[in-house]
Amino acid sequence: MNTNPARTDADKLVQEWADAYNAQDFERFGALFTDDVAYSVRAYGFAFTGRDAFVSHIQEYAAAVPDRTLTPKRTIADGDLIAVETAFAGTSSGTVPALPPAGQPVTASFCTILRLRDGKIASQDDYIG
């Protein structure tokens, strides 16, 4: 049984983050982030600052992989940092040239580093494996 309150809070936040993402509930997803959130996927050269820009990117990707699912596998929390190992799976709609053709699977493993500020996510850095 996990009796560490910080760990419990991190697990709850990560589950809410994944649930909102998977449900394509962009309002609920966006509410988890600060107004000035910084987002990056350095492997792809993506970097966004601000909740609206980040949520807009997530909405675009939802159209590219409409049945996508983000599954948290492991969470590690340390102070205001949370590391999350996730699995991503879905089917390409064929709308993004960098993804497989329509109907083909899209899979990836991520390590996501979330930095918190005042109970919200202030930065998200995704590392793709």
Side-chain angles (χ1 to χ4, degrees), residues 115-128:
R115 185 178 49 82
L116 306 180
R117 184 176 69 231
D118 299 327
K120 292 195 174 205
I121 301 167
S123 70
Q124 176 173 326
D125 296 299
D126 288 336
Y127 299 89
I128 300 171

Side-chain angles (χ1 to χ4, degrees), residues 30-38 49-53 117 120-122:
L32 298 171
F33 296 86
T34 61
D35 289 340
D36 63 345
V37 64
T49 301
R51 179 174 36 221
D52 291 344
R117 184 176 69 231
K120 292 195 174 205
I121 301 167

